[in-house]
Amino acid sequence: ILSRMGFFSQEEYSSIQERAIGDVCSHFIDKNGQIACPELDDRVVAIPLNVIKKIPKKILIAVGEEKAQGILACLYGKLVDYLYIDYPTAITLLKLDKLHSKR
């Protein structure tokens, strides 16, 4: 949607798709919960991730196994303290974490 609205060029959108696993408050993050595209993040008008990390009780609510990689990235990046997810997503999350820790 952001690309169609003209916020990103097709080249920038492709870069986001290659490097980002999800987004937190419009900040595209990589698999480790870090900014995936620093050159594009400079344009984001939102609370910075370093400020989010300092919030004492961050809650992530999500449903759907397709969100597991993004959830895991938030956990790795210390962007969440409490999870509220469904059982299938939890199972997928545990499997992905196990694969990630083997690398």
Side-chain angles (χ1 to χ4, degrees):
I1 292 175
L2 294 173
S3 177
R4 284 184 272 154
M5 293 175 68
F7 290 112
F8 302 116
S9 67
Q10 187 56 46
E11 183 181 304
E12 291 169 328
Y13 183 69
S14 295
S15 177
I16 292 167
Q17 285 185 309
E18 289 173 12
R19 298 190 273 172
I21 204 91
D23 76 280
V24 175
C25 297
S26 298
H27 299 282
F28 293 100
I29 59 171
D30 64 17
K31 65 181 181 177
N32 296 310
Q34 305 302 314
I35 298 296
C37 305
E39 66 280 5
L40 297 177
D41 198 65
D42 291 339
R43 292 194 253 166
V44 173
V45 179
I47 185 171
L49 290 186
N50 62 342
V51 174
I52 292 172
K53 290 178 184 182
K54 293 177 185 176
I55 297 170
K57 295 181 181 176
K58 300 170 292 294
I59 300 170
L60 187 151
I61 302 170
V63 176
E65 296 173 73
E66 69 278 3
K67 297 180 181 175
Q69 287 185 324
I71 295 167
L72 196 58
C74 288
L75 290 168
Y76 290 158
K78 300 186 184 336
L79 297 167
V80 64
D81 297 304
Y82 299 95
L83 282 178
Y84 187 82
I85 56 177
D86 61 325
Y87 182 78
T89 303
I91 296 300
T92 302
L93 195 63
L94 291 170
K95 287 178 186 177
L96 287 173
D97 183 50
K98 193 173 191 177
L99 287 172
H100 188 268
S101 64
K102 286 183 180 182
R103 293 180 188 172

